[in-house]
Amino acid sequence: MSFIEYGDTIRDGDTAIVFLGHESMFPVKVQHGSVTQTKYGVIRHSTDLIGKKYGSKVTCSKGGWVFILHPTPELWTMNLPHRTQILYSTDISIITMMLELKPGSIVCESGTGSGSLSHALIRTVAPTGHLYTVEFHQQRAEKAREEFREHGVEHLVTVTNQDVCKNGFGVSNVADAVFLDIPSPWEAIGHAKAALKVEGGRICSFSPCIEQVQRTCLAMEEHGFTEINTLEILLRVYNVRTISLQIPDLGKASGDNSSIGFDSSNPTNEGSPCTNPQQGTVQFKSGVPLREMVGHTGYLTFASKS
């Protein structure tokens, strides 16, 4: 199993996603002899998972069933164990595009955190690129190394435990792009410039507060970065559902014979928005925004090395 290569069958030691529904799923490490409890009953790894194909429908001990999915960076972002606040697919998608990443790109990242963005970056630059990720917290850095090894991508990433603001990324003039998600990104702009290739290269800084953005932009300008711009990506989700609206009473114009000959029992009138004038309502499909949704996550500041 690898997050960058799809396998057909579930093997001992794989990380798999147990899918109970669109709003209910979780990761599990497949191990011979282990069991996983769900609300539909027990899943026995030896008999229910190992050797089965990814995407299989597995029946639990209580008679309910779940699907077992192959892990992807998108599914991992939704299900990973949170060690820090993470970036979600909305921001990740614009980051990978605006940094102009592609297979073979070299990327520097700080900090690693829970590894949400890291997995997406690795998948984007594979199979010949590389990610150099720096994490200040020692335990988080060690956990990130362990996860990358379990997910089959350790050959594409180097995890370093150090303070990027003081010691930089550990590489010079090799990166095509740099990403910063730290409390004081303006202190790391000089190290980011040193890590970028001699000519060109892109940088992105993620900050939740506008004061951080202001200081970062000033530091970018001082270090000669150009095309500095800041974005805020807001996601607005709609649910498609059936709604009912009352038919307005607009009165009847003189000489209006449009209702003459209407027969509610006539099947040819089915599907008309006013097939039941006595009821006075019409039903149709519509997109309805959620009553509560995620708002501001952070500001994304992009710039280019001149």
Side-chain angles (χ1 to χ4, degrees):
M1 183 277 303
S2 172
F3 272 54
I4 58 172
E5 296 177 357
Y6 289 94
D8 291 331
T9 58
I10 305 171
R11 297 176 298 177
D12 188 15
D14 281 3
T15 298
I17 305 298
V18 180
F19 181 89
L20 292 83
H22 290 291
E23 301 298 328
S24 180
M25 63 184 92
F26 59 89
V28 62
K29 184 175 181 179
V30 179
Q31 292 179 319
H32 184 77
S34 297
V35 297
T36 297
Q37 295 283 349
T38 74
K39 62 181 180 180
Y40 301 125
V42 173
I43 301 174
R44 295 175 175 82
H45 294 196
S46 300
T47 57
D48 297 332
L49 298 183
I50 297 176
K52 300 291 182 65
K53 287 190 174 183
Y54 278 106
S56 296
K57 183 178 180 179
V58 174
T59 302
C60 304
S61 61
K62 293 182 180 179
W65 48 266
V66 298
F67 288 104
I68 308 300
L69 306 181
H70 193 288
T72 64
E74 292 81 5
L75 289 175
W76 186 245
T77 291
M78 297 170 62
N79 296 282
L80 59 78
H82 285 229
R83 299 183 288 272
T84 59
Q85 290 289 341
I86 69 169
L87 290 176
Y88 290 92
S89 299
T90 307
D91 290 315
I92 292 174
S93 59
I94 196 71
I95 290 170
T96 55
M97 184 188 74
M98 294 294 287
L99 289 182
E100 302 174 4
L101 301 182
K102 59 184 181 300
S105 295
I106 307 297
V107 186
C108 291
E109 174 198 26
S110 183
T112 312
S114 300
S116 173
L117 176 66
S118 303
H119 282 80
L121 294 177
I122 292 170
R123 197 261 307 271
T124 302
V125 304
T128 56
H130 200 83
L131 171 66
Y132 295 91
T133 182
V134 178
E135 173 56 51
F136 175 79
H137 195 275
Q138 182 179 357
Q139 291 180 334
R140 288 200 293 263
E142 293 174 353
K143 186 61 178 178
R145 289 194 192 98
E146 179 184 341
E147 287 180 349
F148 293 141
R149 182 172 59 255
E150 292 178 351
H151 299 165
V153 296
E154 72 276 10
H155 61 292
L156 295 171
V157 57
T158 299
V159 182
T160 305
N161 173 220
Q162 64 186 29
D163 186 352
V164 70
C165 296
K166 295 180 180 179
N167 306 115
F169 294 93
V171 296
S172 300
N173 301 327
V174 298
D176 297 289
V178 172
F179 176 80
L180 298 174
D181 183 6
I182 55 178
S184 53
W186 55 89
E187 296 180 0
I189 298 299
H191 294 296
K193 182 178 180 180
L196 287 168
K197 54 189 179 182
V198 177
E199 293 184 2
R202 296 278 288 166
I203 183 173
C204 174
S205 174
F206 177 90
S207 299
C209 302
I210 195 64
E211 291 81 7
Q212 294 170 301
V213 174
Q214 293 170 339
R215 296 189 64 175
T216 302
C217 289
L218 289 174
M220 287 179 175
E221 190 174 21
E222 290 174 0
H223 283 86
F225 283 91
T226 59
E227 298 178 329
I228 303 173
N229 63 89
T230 299
L231 310 176
E232 180 186 25
I233 311 301
L234 300 177
L235 179 65
R236 187 172 176 85
V237 180
Y238 282 78
N239 278 344
V240 178
R241 61 180 64 175
T242 301
I243 64 174
S244 299
L245 291 180
Q246 187 174 6
I247 300 173
D249 183 6
L250 302 178
K252 185 177 180 180
S254 58
D256 184 2
N257 297 323
S258 60
S259 62
I260 296 177
F262 180 86
D263 183 1
S264 60
S265 63
N266 188 347
T268 59
N269 290 321
E270 292 182 0
S272 170
C274 300
T275 56
N276 192 353
Q278 294 180 348
Q279 185 178 0
T281 61
V282 59
Q283 291 186 336
F284 58 93
K285 297 290 184 181
S286 178
V288 180
L290 301 180
R291 293 183 178 180
E292 295 182 1
M293 64 183 66
V294 177
H296 170 77
T297 57
Y299 300 102
L300 293 169
T301 300
F302 295 92
S304 298
K305 182 178 179 180
S306 176

